[in-house]
Each structure stands twice: as C-alpha cells, then as structure tokens.
Amino acid sequence: MALEKNQEFLQAFGNRIKQLRQAKGLSMRALADALNIDVNQISWIERAKMNTSIMMAYSLAKVLEVPLPELFTFEVKSGD
C-alpha cells in the first residue's frame, strides 16, 4: 500500500514538472540542457520512473522560474 502511494506521488510530481515545463515552452532537451543533465533524467522524472533529489527539485524550480513549493502544488490521485 505504501509503495502504491509513493508511486502515485511520483506520478503527480512528474505530471507537475511536465506541466510547468510546457507552460514555459521548454522541450525536455532544453530543460535538461539548462540543468546540465541527460534528457533521459527529465523523461524518467516526468514518467515517475525515478525518485529525484531535493537538490534537483531546487534546480528545477530555479530553471522553471517558480518558487520551490510550486513544484508540489498538485493532488495525489488515490488508487483506492
């Protein structure tokens, strides 16, 4: 059950990153380049295939030009 909740959170977080990235008109490649990381890492975050660090979240917020808490403005959909 806890692992399901973790996955739901990661999916909601990934969707939020994608939403903010697209709102800025950035491709995954452009975001990855701005962060100096591989484009696959952005893809993995957005598809909830990877749990990222708080420092990466901080960097994402800076590049996306939003306050850090804005990355976590989402509802976790429950599978219940």
Side-chain angles (χ1 to χ4, degrees), residues 37-69:
I37 61 172
D38 190 277
V39 69
N40 288 321
Q41 191 170 345
I42 298 299
S43 176
W44 296 332
I45 292 169
E46 288 187 1
R47 293 183 299 126
K49 302 296 182 193
M50 148 179 214
N51 184 357
T52 194
S53 71
I54 191 65
M55 287 309 300
M56 179 54 66
Y58 176 77
S59 296
L60 283 163
K62 287 290 194 190
V63 170
L64 294 170
E65 299 176 320
V66 297
L68 182 60

Side-chain angles (χ1 to χ4, degrees), residues 2-77:
L3 289 178
E4 258 180 47
K5 288 289 184 193
N6 291 348
Q7 189 59 34
E8 290 165 0
F9 178 85
L10 288 177
Q11 187 63 55
F13 181 76
N15 289 340
R16 183 66 177 147
I17 297 303
K18 182 177 182 177
Q19 177 187 46
L20 291 168
R21 174 181 61 76
Q22 290 176 334
K24 290 296 263 179
L26 296 172
S27 66
M28 281 194 280
R29 167 68 63 202
L31 181 56
D33 288 349
L35 293 165
N36 199 30
I37 61 172
D38 190 277
V39 69
N40 288 321
Q41 191 170 345
I42 298 299
S43 176
W44 296 332
I45 292 169
E46 288 187 1
R47 293 183 299 126
K49 302 296 182 193
M50 148 179 214
N51 184 357
T52 194
S53 71
I54 191 65
M55 287 309 300
M56 179 54 66
Y58 176 77
S59 296
L60 283 163
K62 287 290 194 190
V63 170
L64 294 170
E65 299 176 320
V66 297
L68 182 60
E70 186 71 22
L71 298 184
F72 301 96
T73 305
F74 54 80
E75 242 181 83
V76 177
K77 294 180 183 170

